Amino acid sequence: MFDTILVVVCCAGIGLTLSYFTLGNSRMPQHSQEETEAEKSCLHVKAGRRRVLVVTAHPDDEVMFFGPTILHFTQREGALVYLLCLSTGNYYGQGRIRCQELWASCRLLGMSRENIILYRCDDLPDDPDIMWPTVKTANLINQYLHALDIDMVVTFDMGGVSGHINHSALFSAIQHLVDEEYLPETCEAFSLDTVNIIRKYSSLLDVPLSYALSSCAFTVDCKQHSILQSAMRAHKSQYVWFRKLYMYFSRYVLINTLTRITP
């Protein structure tokens, strides 16, 4: 019994030590030599600044799931970061309030209000029982990708992190654009990795493992973690006890690992 406890304590100590040296670091994927010049250019700064579009389903997704990614581009890289949120989060009739909260959260994350796009459409309701139409959603996203001359688009993967069907619909839409080659020529698409529930709530302990296994990873330091906590508190209508626990124990407020979406 004592030996088992000692092993657990030692593993936790090693994990926390590795996390300390990992936090605050980021890693972008490298291109292979076989890729074309146009493909290579999408991960380089265009005209001095990268243009990144984060596509979410509801207000508060941006901080609960994509915080480390957004802070990497707004603070470390100084990129132009846009947010496209495809619903107002009106499932409980709080859409108007949640829009205001989203703008306050994004301001803390370093995004200008004019870079926040909130979409209202009856075909894309905030509803965990309704799958958004793939082609319509894809066409809508693609309009902004071209209009804003986006270099990099980031959204959920098929798992949607929390399993929400609206999250998964965004991946299906982006996958459709990739498969049909509708993306702007120099734009690449990435999805946020969904991990199992143990890793999801392992907080610091999962950071070194995630960083080591991923070719694209963004972590936060202590100051940035504090920003994420403040940004979540801006969503006052949603900041209930279980979301407070989530913000302290979820690895997604410490590290985002992304995977390139390919045909």
Side-chain angles (χ1 to χ4, degrees):
M1 179 65 178
F2 178 78
D3 290 341
T4 302
I5 295 175
L6 181 62
V7 169
V8 171
V9 170
C10 290
C11 290
I14 293 172
L16 291 174
T17 301
L18 292 174
S19 296
Y20 175 80
F21 290 104
T22 303
L23 291 177
N25 295 321
S26 298
R27 177 187 296 138
M28 290 291 291
Q30 298 297 318
H31 285 276
S32 66
Q33 294 181 351
E34 290 78 14
E35 291 174 310
T36 65
E37 290 301 320
E39 289 172 328
K40 290 179 182 179
S41 67
C42 64
L43 284 180
H44 293 274
V45 179
K46 181 188 295 183
R49 302 180 73 181
R50 195 194 309 271
R51 305 173 73 89
V52 181
L53 178 66
V54 179
V55 183
T56 62
H58 318 102
D60 80 10
D61 288 349
E62 80 289 343
V63 60
M64 289 187 69
F65 305 116
F66 295 95
T69 297
I70 292 173
L71 288 180
H72 168 83
F73 287 113
T74 58
Q75 291 196 348
R76 295 179 190 162
E77 191 172 305
L80 279 171
V81 181
Y82 298 87
L83 177 72
L84 173 59
C85 184
L86 289 181
S87 84
T88 61
N90 199 44
Y91 187 64
Y92 293 108
Q94 298 176 306
R96 186 171 183 179
I97 294 173
R98 297 190 69 182
C99 290
Q100 298 293 330
E101 293 171 347
L102 177 65
W103 290 324
S105 171
C106 288
R107 178 178 56 81
L108 292 169
L109 295 174
M111 286 183 283
S112 302
R113 180 162 176 167
E114 57 267 25
N115 289 5
I116 312 305
I117 306 157
L118 263 168
Y119 194 76
R120 299 170 176 86
C121 178
D122 292 339
D123 290 339
L124 307 179
D126 172 16
D127 193 320
D129 297 318
I130 297 179
M131 173 61 83
W132 293 347
T134 298
V135 175
K136 181 180 179 66
T137 307
N139 289 340
L140 172 63
I141 295 171
N142 205 30
Q143 289 177 20
Y144 290 103
L145 293 177
H146 285 270
L148 298 173
D149 194 21
I150 295 300
D151 306 310
M152 180 176 181
V153 58
V154 180
T155 194
F156 294 99
D157 67 1
M158 182 57 73
V161 180
S162 65
H164 199 298
I165 195 171
N166 296 162
H167 297 177
S168 301
L170 298 181
F171 174 80
S172 297
I174 298 294
Q175 183 70 67
H176 174 74
L177 295 178
V178 172
D179 291 343
E180 299 299 324
E181 299 183 350
Y182 289 153
L183 291 178
E185 184 180 10
T186 59
C187 178
E188 276 195 322
F190 289 83
S191 61
L192 179 65
D193 296 333
T194 295
V195 297
N196 63 57
I197 193 168
I198 295 176
R199 290 184 59 192
K200 181 178 179 180
Y201 293 106
S202 295
S203 189
L204 276 169
L205 295 178
D206 188 65
V207 172
L209 176 64
S210 295
Y211 192 83
L213 294 178
S214 179
S215 62
C216 186
F218 306 120
T219 68
V220 297
D221 55 26
C222 292
K223 182 178 180 180
Q224 291 173 325
H225 183 259
S226 179
I227 292 173
L228 294 181
Q229 296 291 336
S230 297
M232 187 63 227
R233 286 194 292 270
H235 290 281
K236 296 178 183 178
S237 68
Q238 307 302 304
Y239 198 46
V240 293
W241 68 269
F242 57 87
R243 279 189 169 84
K244 292 179 182 180
L245 290 177
Y246 181 92
M247 292 300 290
Y248 282 102
F249 292 105
S250 172
R251 48 92 78 179
Y252 288 97
V253 298
L254 295 172
I255 184 168
N256 283 167
T257 56
L258 309 180
T259 297
R260 185 185 283 114
I261 301 175
T262 57

